Amino acid sequence: MTKLVEDIASGKAAWEQPRDVARALGQLHELAQALPQALLQASSAIDRMARDRDDATTVARVIGEAATSATSLENQLCRAHEAAREVRSR
């Protein structure tokens, strides 16, 4: 996953075949599947550790919004991955 992110960021992603794109989308989908739960765990950790209740509430709200967005992203990446798997090479 780290290599994929580095390759994309550097513009060196080797996408020569549709299956390469499908594979990358699949890996991004896998990452996106874990994001909502990871964000909710982070929110819970902040809540336990924060000294100031108002700060904890603000951060929890923002993290909750991020988790909602991550769920939407996961759904979109799933659809993109499935669609890319159907593309055939020329």
Side-chain angles (χ1 to χ4, degrees):
M1 180 57 58
T2 303
K3 174 122 174 66
L4 172 67
V5 172
E6 288 172 356
D7 287 349
I8 291 170
S10 69
K12 296 178 183 174
W15 294 340
E16 297 174 9
Q17 299 287 326
R19 69 174 174 236
D20 298 333
V21 175
R23 187 178 309 113
L25 288 168
Q27 291 172 333
L28 291 169
H29 176 239
E30 287 178 28
L31 175 62
Q33 284 178 310
L35 282 175
Q37 186 61 36
L39 289 165
L40 293 176
Q41 289 175 7
S43 178
S44 177
I46 286 290
D47 189 51
R48 284 192 319 272
M49 294 183 279
R51 191 176 305 177
D52 185 315
R53 184 95 287 350
D54 290 337
D55 287 346
T57 301
T58 299
V59 172
R61 180 181 48 77
V62 173
I63 292 174
E65 292 169 3
T68 299
S69 295
T71 299
S72 177
L73 175 62
E74 187 270 325
N75 292 332
Q76 292 170 329
L77 283 169
C78 180
R79 289 195 314 267
H81 178 232
E82 290 299 319
R85 289 176 55 190
E86 299 300 319
V87 175
R88 302 288 178 234
S89 294
R90 291 183 183 193

Coordinates of all heavy atoms in Angstrom, one line a residue:
M1 N 0.8 -1.2 0.0 CA 0.0 0.0 0.0 C 0.9 1.3 0.0 O 0.6 2.2 -0.7 CB -0.9 0.0 1.2 CG -1.8 1.2 1.3 SD -2.9 1.5 -0.1 CE -3.8 0.0 -0.2
T2 N 1.9 1.2 0.8 CA 2.8 2.4 0.9 C 3.4 2.7 -0.5 O 3.5 3.8 -0.9 CB 3.9 2.2 1.9 OG1 3.3 1.9 3.2 CG2 4.8 3.3 2.0
K3 N 3.8 1.6 -1.2 CA 4.4 1.7 -2.5 C 3.4 2.4 -3.5 O 3.8 3.2 -4.3 CB 4.9 0.4 -3.0 CG 5.4 0.5 -4.4 CD 6.8 0.0 -4.5 CE 7.3 -0.1 -5.9 NZ 7.5 1.1 -6.7
L4 N 2.2 1.9 -3.4 CA 1.2 2.4 -4.3 C 1.0 3.9 -4.1 O 1.0 4.7 -5.0 CB -0.2 1.7 -4.0 CG -1.4 2.3 -4.8 CD1 -1.3 2.2 -6.3 CD2 -2.7 1.7 -4.2
V5 N 0.9 4.3 -2.8 CA 0.7 5.8 -2.5 C 2.0 6.6 -3.0 O 1.8 7.6 -3.5 CB 0.5 5.9 -0.9 CG1 0.5 7.4 -0.6 CG2 -0.8 5.3 -0.5
E6 N 3.2 6.0 -2.7 CA 4.4 6.7 -3.2 C 4.4 6.9 -4.7 O 4.7 7.9 -5.2 CB 5.6 6.0 -2.7 CG 5.9 6.1 -1.2 CD 7.0 5.2 -0.7 OE1 7.5 4.4 -1.5 OE2 7.3 5.3 0.5
D7 N 4.0 5.8 -5.4 CA 4.0 5.8 -6.9 C 3.0 6.8 -7.4 O 3.3 7.5 -8.4 CB 3.7 4.4 -7.4 CG 4.9 3.5 -7.3 OD1 6.0 3.9 -6.9 OD2 4.7 2.3 -7.5
I8 N 1.9 6.8 -6.8 CA 0.8 7.8 -7.2 C 1.3 9.2 -7.0 O 1.2 10.1 -7.8 CB -0.5 7.5 -6.6 CG1 -1.1 6.2 -7.1 CG2 -1.5 8.6 -6.8 CD1 -2.3 5.7 -6.3
A9 N 1.8 9.5 -5.8 CA 2.2 10.8 -5.4 C 3.4 11.3 -6.3 O 3.4 12.5 -6.6 CB 2.6 10.8 -3.9
S10 N 4.2 10.4 -6.7 CA 5.4 10.8 -7.5 C 5.1 10.8 -9.0 O 5.9 11.2 -9.8 CB 6.6 9.9 -7.3 OG 6.3 8.6 -7.8
G11 N 3.9 10.3 -9.4 CA 3.5 10.3 -10.8 C 4.1 9.1 -11.5 O 4.1 9.0 -12.7
K12 N 4.6 8.1 -10.7 CA 5.3 7.0 -11.3 C 4.4 5.7 -11.3 O 5.0 4.6 -11.5 CB 6.6 6.7 -10.6 CG 7.6 7.8 -10.8 CD 8.9 7.5 -10.0 CE 9.8 8.7 -10.1 NZ 11.0 8.5 -9.2
A13 N 3.2 5.8 -11.0 CA 2.3 4.6 -11.0 C 2.3 3.9 -12.3 O 2.2 4.6 -13.4 CB 0.9 5.0 -10.6
A14 N 2.6 2.6 -12.3 CA 2.7 1.9 -13.6 C 1.4 1.3 -13.9 O 1.1 0.2 -13.5 CB 3.8 0.8 -13.4
W15 N 0.6 2.0 -14.7 CA -0.7 1.6 -15.1 C -0.7 1.3 -16.6 O -1.0 2.2 -17.4 CB -1.8 2.6 -14.7 CG -2.0 2.7 -13.2 CD1 -1.6 1.9 -12.3 CD2 -2.6 3.8 -12.6 NE1 -1.9 2.3 -11.0 CE2 -2.5 3.6 -11.2 CE3 -3.1 5.0 -13.0 CZ2 -3.0 4.4 -10.2 CZ3 -3.6 5.9 -12.1 CH2 -3.6 5.6 -10.7
E16 N -0.3 0.1 -16.9 CA -0.1 -0.2 -18.4 C -1.3 -1.0 -18.9 O -1.6 -1.1 -20.0 CB 1.2 -0.9 -18.6 CG 2.4 -0.1 -18.3 CD 3.7 -0.8 -18.4 OE1 3.7 -2.0 -18.8 OE2 4.7 -0.3 -18.0
Q17 N -2.0 -1.6 -17.9 CA -3.2 -2.5 -18.3 C -4.3 -2.1 -17.4 O -4.1 -1.6 -16.3 CB -2.8 -4.0 -18.0 CG -1.7 -4.5 -18.8 CD -2.1 -4.7 -20.3 OE1 -3.2 -5.1 -20.6 NE2 -1.1 -4.5 -21.2
P18 N -5.5 -2.3 -17.9 CA -6.7 -2.1 -17.0 C -6.6 -2.8 -15.7 O -7.1 -2.3 -14.6 CB -7.9 -2.5 -17.8 CG -7.4 -2.4 -19.2 CD -6.0 -2.7 -19.2
R19 N -6.1 -4.0 -15.7 CA -6.0 -4.7 -14.4 C -5.1 -4.0 -13.4 O -5.2 -4.2 -12.2 CB -5.5 -6.2 -14.7 CG -4.1 -6.3 -15.1 CD -3.7 -7.8 -15.2 NE -2.4 -7.8 -15.7 CZ -2.0 -8.5 -16.8 NH1 -2.9 -9.3 -17.4 NH2 -0.8 -8.5 -17.2
D20 N -4.1 -3.3 -13.9 CA -3.2 -2.5 -13.0 C -4.0 -1.4 -12.3 O -3.9 -1.2 -11.1 CB -2.1 -1.8 -13.8 CG -1.2 -2.8 -14.4 OD1 -1.0 -3.9 -14.0 OD2 -0.6 -2.4 -15.5
V21 N -4.9 -0.8 -13.0 CA -5.8 0.2 -12.4 C -6.8 -0.4 -11.4 O -7.0 0.0 -10.3 CB -6.6 1.0 -13.5 CG1 -7.6 2.0 -12.9 CG2 -5.6 1.8 -14.4
A22 N -7.3 -1.6 -11.9 CA -8.3 -2.3 -11.0 C -7.6 -2.7 -9.7 O -8.1 -2.6 -8.6 CB -8.8 -3.5 -11.7
R23 N -6.3 -3.2 -9.8 CA -5.6 -3.6 -8.6 C -5.3 -2.4 -7.7 O -5.5 -2.5 -6.5 CB -4.2 -4.2 -9.0 CG -3.5 -4.8 -7.9 CD -2.2 -5.5 -8.3 NE -2.3 -6.4 -9.4 CZ -1.8 -6.2 -10.6 NH1 -1.1 -5.2 -10.9 NH2 -2.0 -7.1 -11.6
A24 N -5.0 -1.3 -8.2 CA -4.7 -0.1 -7.4 C -6.0 0.3 -6.7 O -6.0 0.7 -5.5 CB -4.2 1.0 -8.3
L25 N -7.1 0.3 -7.5 CA -8.4 0.7 -6.9 C -8.8 -0.3 -5.8 O -9.4 0.1 -4.8 CB -9.5 0.8 -8.0 CG -9.4 2.0 -8.9 CD1 -10.3 1.8 -10.1 CD2 -9.7 3.2 -8.1
G26 N -8.5 -1.6 -6.0 CA -8.8 -2.6 -5.0 C -8.0 -2.3 -3.7 O -8.5 -2.4 -2.6
Q27 N -6.8 -2.0 -3.9 CA -5.9 -1.7 -2.7 C -6.4 -0.4 -2.0 O -6.5 -0.4 -0.7 CB -4.5 -1.5 -3.1 CG -3.8 -2.8 -3.5 CD -2.4 -2.6 -4.1 OE1 -2.1 -1.5 -4.6 NE2 -1.6 -3.6 -4.0
L28 N -6.8 0.6 -2.7 CA -7.4 1.8 -2.1 C -8.7 1.5 -1.4 O -9.0 2.0 -0.3 CB -7.5 2.9 -3.2 CG -6.2 3.5 -3.7 CD1 -6.5 4.4 -4.9 CD2 -5.5 4.3 -2.6
H29 N -9.5 0.6 -2.0 CA -10.7 0.2 -1.4 C -10.5 -0.5 -0.1 O -11.2 -0.2 0.9 CB -11.5 -0.7 -2.3 CG -12.8 -1.2 -1.8 ND1 -13.0 -2.6 -1.6 CD2 -13.9 -0.6 -1.2 CE1 -14.2 -2.7 -1.0 NE2 -14.7 -1.5 -0.8
E30 N -9.5 -1.4 0.0 CA -9.1 -2.1 1.2 C -8.8 -1.0 2.3 O -9.2 -1.2 3.5 CB -8.0 -3.0 1.0 CG -8.4 -4.3 0.2 CD -7.2 -5.2 0.0 OE1 -6.2 -5.2 0.8 OE2 -7.2 -5.9 -1.0
L31 N -8.0 -0.1 1.9 CA -7.6 1.0 2.9 C -8.8 1.7 3.4 O -9.0 2.0 4.6 CB -6.6 1.9 2.3 CG -6.2 3.1 3.1 CD1 -5.5 2.7 4.4 CD2 -5.3 4.0 2.3
A32 N -9.7 2.1 2.4 CA -10.9 2.9 2.8 C -11.8 2.1 3.7 O -12.5 2.7 4.5 CB -11.6 3.3 1.5
Q33 N -11.8 0.8 3.6 CA -12.7 -0.1 4.4 C -12.3 0.1 5.9 O -13.2 0.0 6.8 CB -12.6 -1.5 4.0 CG -13.4 -1.9 2.8 CD -13.2 -3.3 2.4 OE1 -12.1 -3.9 2.3 NE2 -14.3 -4.0 2.1
A34 N -11.0 0.3 6.1 CA -10.5 0.3 7.5 C -10.7 1.8 8.1 O -10.7 1.9 9.3 CB -9.1 -0.1 7.6
L35 N -10.8 2.8 7.3 CA -10.8 4.1 7.7 C -11.9 4.5 8.7 O -11.6 5.1 9.8 CB -10.8 5.1 6.6 CG -9.5 5.3 5.9 CD1 -9.7 6.2 4.6 CD2 -8.4 5.9 6.8
P36 N -13.2 4.2 8.4 CA -14.2 4.6 9.4 C -14.0 4.0 10.8 O -14.1 4.8 11.8 CB -15.5 4.0 8.8 CG -15.2 3.9 7.3 CD -13.8 3.5 7.3
Q37 N -13.6 2.8 10.9 CA -13.4 2.2 12.2 C -12.2 2.8 12.9 O -12.2 3.1 14.1 CB -13.2 0.7 12.1 CG -13.1 0.0 13.5 CD -14.3 0.1 14.3 OE1 -15.4 0.2 13.9 NE2 -14.1 0.3 15.6
A38 N -11.1 3.0 12.1 CA -9.9 3.7 12.7 C -10.2 5.1 13.2 O -9.8 5.5 14.3 CB -8.8 3.7 11.6
L39 N -11.0 5.8 12.5 CA -11.4 7.1 12.9 C -12.3 7.1 14.1 O -12.1 7.9 15.1 CB -12.1 7.9 11.8 CG -11.2 8.3 10.6 CD1 -12.1 8.6 9.4 CD2 -10.3 9.4 11.0
L40 N -13.2 6.2 14.2 CA -14.0 6.1 15.4 C -13.2 5.7 16.6 O -13.4 6.2 17.8 CB -15.2 5.1 15.2 CG -16.2 5.5 14.2 CD1 -17.2 4.4 13.9 CD2 -16.9 6.8 14.6
Q41 N -12.2 4.8 16.4 CA -11.3 4.5 17.5 C -10.5 5.7 18.0 O -10.3 5.9 19.2 CB -10.4 3.3 17.1 CG -11.1 2.0 17.0 CD -10.2 0.9 16.5 OE1 -9.0 1.1 16.3 NE2 -10.8 -0.3 16.2
A42 N -10.1 6.5 17.0 CA -9.3 7.7 17.3 C -10.2 8.7 18.1 O -9.8 9.3 19.1 CB -8.8 8.4 16.1
S43 N -11.5 8.8 17.7 CA -12.4 9.6 18.5 C -12.6 9.2 19.9 O -12.6 10.0 20.8 CB -13.8 9.6 17.7 OG -14.7 10.4 18.4
S44 N -12.7 7.9 20.1 CA -12.9 7.3 21.4 C -11.6 7.6 22.3 O -11.7 7.9 23.4 CB -13.1 5.8 21.3 OG -13.2 5.3 22.6
A45 N -10.4 7.4 21.6 CA -9.2 7.7 22.4 C -9.1 9.1 22.8 O -8.7 9.4 23.9 CB -8.0 7.3 21.5
I46 N -9.4 10.1 21.9 CA -9.3 11.5 22.2 C -10.3 11.8 23.4 O -9.9 12.5 24.3 CB -9.7 12.4 21.0 CG1 -8.6 12.4 20.0 CG2 -10.1 13.8 21.4 CD1 -7.3 13.2 20.4
D47 N -11.5 11.2 23.3 CA -12.4 11.4 24.4 C -11.9 11.0 25.8 O -12.1 11.6 26.8 CB -13.7 10.7 24.1 CG -14.9 11.0 25.0 OD1 -15.1 12.2 25.1 OD2 -15.5 10.1 25.6
R48 N -11.2 9.8 25.8 CA -10.6 9.3 27.0 C -9.5 10.2 27.5 O -9.3 10.3 28.7 CB -10.1 7.9 26.9 CG -11.2 6.9 26.8 CD -10.6 5.4 26.9 NE -9.4 5.2 26.2 CZ -9.3 4.9 24.9 NH1 -10.4 4.7 24.2 NH2 -8.2 4.7 24.3
M49 N -8.7 10.8 26.6 CA -7.5 11.4 27.0 C -7.6 13.0 27.2 O -6.8 13.6 27.8 CB -6.4 11.2 25.9 CG -6.0 9.8 25.8 SD -4.7 9.5 24.6 CE -5.6 9.5 23.1
A50 N -8.6 13.5 26.6 CA -8.8 15.0 26.6 C -9.0 15.5 28.0 O -9.9 15.0 28.8 CB -9.8 15.5 25.7
R51 N -8.3 16.5 28.4 CA -8.6 17.2 29.7 C -9.8 18.1 29.6 O -10.6 18.2 30.5 CB -7.3 18.0 30.0 CG -7.3 18.5 31.4 CD -6.1 19.2 31.8 NE -4.9 18.4 31.5 CZ -3.6 18.8 31.6 NH1 -3.4 20.0 32.0 NH2 -2.6 18.0 31.4
D52 N -9.9 18.8 28.5 CA -11.0 19.7 28.3 C -12.2 19.0 27.5 O -12.0 18.6 26.4 CB -10.5 20.9 27.5 CG -11.6 22.0 27.3 OD1 -12.7 21.7 27.0 OD2 -11.2 23.2 27.5
R53 N -13.3 18.9 28.1 CA -14.5 18.3 27.6 C -15.0 19.0 26.3 O -15.4 18.3 25.3 CB -15.7 18.3 28.6 CG -16.9 17.6 28.2 CD -16.9 16.2 28.7 NE -16.3 15.3 28.3 CZ -15.5 14.3 27.8 NH1 -15.2 13.9 27.6 NH2 -14.9 13.5 27.4
D54 N -14.9 20.3 26.2 CA -15.3 21.0 25.0 C -14.4 20.6 23.8 O -14.9 20.4 22.7 CB -15.3 22.5 25.2 CG -16.4 23.0 26.1 OD1 -17.4 22.2 26.2 OD2 -16.3 24.0 26.7
D55 N -13.1 20.6 24.1 CA -12.1 20.2 23.0 C -12.4 18.8 22.5 O -12.5 18.5 21.3 CB -10.7 20.2 23.6 CG -10.2 21.6 23.7 OD1 -10.8 22.6 23.2 OD2 -9.1 21.7 24.4
A56 N -12.7 17.9 23.5 CA -13.0 16.5 23.1 C -14.3 16.4 22.3 O -14.3 15.7 21.3 CB -13.1 15.6 24.3
T57 N -15.3 17.1 22.6 CA -16.5 17.1 21.9 C -16.3 17.7 20.5 O -16.8 17.1 19.5 CB -17.6 18.0 22.6 OG1 -17.8 17.4 23.9 CG2 -18.9 18.0 21.9
T58 N -15.6 18.8 20.3 CA -15.3 19.3 19.0 C -14.5 18.4 18.1 O -14.9 18.1 17.0 CB -14.5 20.7 19.2 OG1 -15.3 21.6 19.9 CG2 -14.2 21.3 17.8
V59 N -13.5 17.8 18.7 CA -12.7 16.8 17.9 C -13.5 15.6 17.6 O -13.5 15.1 16.4 CB -11.4 16.4 18.7 CG1 -10.7 15.3 18.0 CG2 -10.5 17.6 18.9
A60 N -14.3 15.1 18.5 CA -15.2 13.9 18.2 C -16.1 14.2 17.1 O -16.4 13.4 16.2 CB -15.9 13.5 19.4
R61 N -16.7 15.4 17.0 CA -17.6 15.8 15.9 C -16.9 15.8 14.6 O -17.4 15.3 13.6 CB -18.2 17.2 16.2 CG -19.2 17.6 15.1 CD -19.8 19.0 15.4 NE -18.8 20.0 15.8 CZ -18.0 20.6 14.9 NH1 -18.1 20.4 13.6 NH2 -17.2 21.6 15.3
V62 N -15.7 16.4 14.6 CA -15.0 16.5 13.3 C -14.6 15.1 12.9 O -14.7 14.7 11.7 CB -13.8 17.4 13.4 CG1 -12.9 17.4 12.2 CG2 -14.2 18.8 13.7
I63 N -14.1 14.3 13.8 CA -13.7 12.9 13.4 C -14.9 12.1 13.0 O -14.8 11.3 12.0 CB -13.0 12.2 14.6 CG1 -11.6 12.8 14.9 CG2 -12.8 10.7 14.3 CD1 -10.9 12.3 16.1
G64 N -16.1 12.3 13.6 CA -17.3 11.7 13.1 C -17.7 12.0 11.7 O -18.1 11.2 10.9
E65 N -17.5 13.3 11.4 CA -17.7 13.7 10.0 C -16.8 13.1 9.0 O -17.1 12.7 7.9 CB -17.6 15.3 9.9 CG -18.7 16.0 10.6 CD -18.5 17.5 10.7 OE1 -17.4 18.0 10.2 OE2 -19.3 18.2 11.4
A66 N -15.5 13.0 9.5 CA -14.5 12.3 8.6 C -14.9 10.8 8.4 O -14.7 10.3 7.3 CB -13.1 12.4 9.2
A67 N -15.4 10.2 9.5 CA -15.8 8.8 9.4 C -16.9 8.6 8.4 O -16.9 7.6 7.6 CB -16.1 8.2 10.7
T68 N -17.8 9.5 8.4 CA -19.0 9.5 7.5 C -18.5 9.6 6.0 O -18.9 8.9 5.1 CB -20.0 10.6 7.8 OG1 -20.5 10.3 9.1 CG2 -21.1 10.6 6.8
S69 N -17.6 10.6 5.8 CA -17.0 10.8 4.5 C -16.2 9.5 4.1 O -16.2 9.1 2.9 CB -16.0 12.0 4.5 OG -16.8 13.2 4.7
A70 N -15.5 8.9 5.0 CA -14.7 7.7 4.7 C -15.6 6.6 4.3 O -15.2 5.8 3.4 CB -13.8 7.3 5.9
T71 N -16.7 6.5 4.9 CA -17.7 5.4 4.5 C -18.2 5.7 3.1 O -18.3 4.7 2.3 CB -18.9 5.4 5.5 OG1 -18.4 5.1 6.8 CG2 -19.9 4.4 5.1
S72 N -18.5 6.9 2.8 CA -18.9 7.2 1.4 C -17.8 6.9 0.4 O -18.0 6.4 -0.7 CB -19.3 8.7 1.3 OG -19.6 9.1 0.0
L73 N -16.6 7.3 0.7 CA -15.4 7.0 -0.1 C -15.2 5.5 -0.3 O -15.0 5.1 -1.4 CB -14.1 7.6 0.5 CG -12.8 7.3 -0.3 CD1 -12.9 7.9 -1.7 CD2 -11.6 7.9 0.5
E74 N -15.4 4.8 0.7 CA -15.3 3.3 0.6 C -16.3 2.8 -0.4 O -16.0 1.9 -1.2 CB -15.4 2.7 2.0 CG -15.2 1.2 2.0 CD -16.4 0.3 1.8 OE1 -17.5 0.7 2.2 OE2 -16.2 -0.7 1.1
N75 N -17.5 3.2 -0.3 CA -18.6 2.8 -1.2 C -18.2 3.2 -2.7 O -18.4 2.4 -3.6 CB -19.9 3.4 -0.8 CG -20.4 2.8 0.5 OD1 -20.1 1.7 0.9 ND2 -21.2 3.6 1.2
Q76 N -17.7 4.4 -2.9 CA -17.4 4.8 -4.2 C -16.2 4.0 -4.8 O -16.2 3.7 -5.9 CB -17.1 6.3 -4.2 CG -18.3 7.2 -3.9 CD -17.9 8.6 -3.7 OE1 -16.9 8.9 -3.2 NE2 -18.8 9.5 -4.1
L77 N -15.2 3.8 -3.9 CA -14.1 3.0 -4.4 C -14.4 1.6 -4.7 O -13.9 0.9 -5.6 CB -12.9 3.0 -3.3 CG -12.1 4.3 -3.3 CD1 -11.2 4.3 -2.1 CD2 -11.3 4.5 -4.6
C78 N -15.4 1.0 -4.0 CA -15.9 -0.3 -4.2 C -16.5 -0.4 -5.6 O -16.2 -1.3 -6.4 CB -16.9 -0.8 -3.2 SG -17.6 -2.4 -3.5
R79 N -17.3 0.6 -5.9 CA -18.0 0.7 -7.2 C -16.9 0.9 -8.3 O -17.0 0.2 -9.4 CB -19.0 1.8 -7.3 CG -20.3 1.5 -6.4 CD -21.5 2.4 -6.7 NE -21.2 3.8 -6.8 CZ -21.2 4.6 -5.8 NH1 -21.6 4.2 -4.6 NH2 -21.0 5.9 -6.0
A80 N -16.0 1.7 -8.1 CA -14.9 2.0 -9.1 C -14.1 0.7 -9.3 O -13.8 0.4 -10.5 CB -14.0 3.2 -8.6
H81 N -13.8 0.0 -8.3 CA -13.0 -1.2 -8.4 C -13.7 -2.2 -9.2 O -13.2 -2.8 -10.1 CB -12.6 -1.7 -7.0 CG -11.9 -3.0 -7.0 ND1 -12.2 -4.1 -6.3 CD2 -10.7 -3.4 -7.7 CE1 -11.4 -5.1 -6.5 NE2 -10.5 -4.7 -7.4
E82 N -15.0 -2.4 -8.9 CA -15.8 -3.4 -9.6 C -15.9 -3.0 -11.1 O -15.8 -3.9 -12.0 CB -17.2 -3.5 -9.0 CG -17.2 -4.2 -7.6 CD -16.6 -5.6 -7.6 OE1 -17.0 -6.4 -8.6 OE2 -15.9 -6.0 -6.7
A83 N -16.1 -1.8 -11.4 CA -16.2 -1.3 -12.8 C -14.9 -1.5 -13.5 O -14.9 -2.0 -14.7 CB -16.7 0.1 -12.8
A84 N -13.8 -1.2 -12.9 CA -12.5 -1.3 -13.5 C -12.1 -2.8 -13.8 O -11.5 -3.1 -14.8 CB -11.4 -0.7 -12.6
R85 N -12.6 -3.7 -12.9 CA -12.4 -5.1 -13.2 C -13.0 -5.6 -14.4 O -12.6 -6.6 -15.0 CB -12.8 -5.9 -12.0 CG -12.0 -5.7 -10.7 CD -12.5 -6.4 -9.5 NE -12.7 -7.8 -9.8 CZ -13.3 -8.7 -9.0 NH1 -13.8 -8.3 -7.9 NH2 -13.4 -10.0 -9.4
E86 N -14.0 -4.9 -14.9 CA -14.7 -5.3 -16.1 C -14.1 -4.8 -17.4 O -14.5 -5.2 -18.5 CB -16.2 -4.9 -16.0 CG -17.0 -5.5 -14.9 CD -17.0 -7.0 -14.9 OE1 -17.2 -7.6 -16.0 OE2 -16.8 -7.6 -13.9
V87 N -13.2 -3.9 -17.3 CA -12.6 -3.2 -18.5 C -11.5 -4.2 -19.0 O -10.7 -4.8 -18.3 CB -11.9 -1.9 -18.1 CG1 -11.1 -1.3 -19.3 CG2 -12.9 -0.9 -17.6
R88 N -11.6 -4.4 -20.3 CA -10.7 -5.3 -21.0 C -9.6 -4.5 -21.8 O -9.9 -3.4 -22.2 CB -11.4 -6.2 -22.0 CG -12.5 -7.0 -21.4 CD -11.9 -8.1 -20.6 NE -12.9 -8.9 -20.0 CZ -13.0 -9.2 -18.7 NH1 -12.1 -8.7 -17.9 NH2 -14.0 -9.9 -18.2
S89 N -8.5 -5.1 -21.9 CA -7.4 -4.4 -22.7 C -7.7 -4.3 -24.2 O -8.4 -5.1 -24.7 CB -6.1 -5.2 -22.5 OG -5.7 -5.1 -21.2
R90 N -7.1 -3.4 -24.8 CA -7.2 -3.3 -26.3 C -6.3 -4.3 -26.9 O -5.3 -4.7 -26.5 CB -6.7 -1.9 -26.7 CG -7.7 -0.9 -26.3 CD -7.3 0.5 -26.9 NE -8.2 1.5 -26.4 CZ -8.3 2.7 -26.8 NH1 -7.5 3.1 -27.8 NH2 -9.1 3.5 -26.4

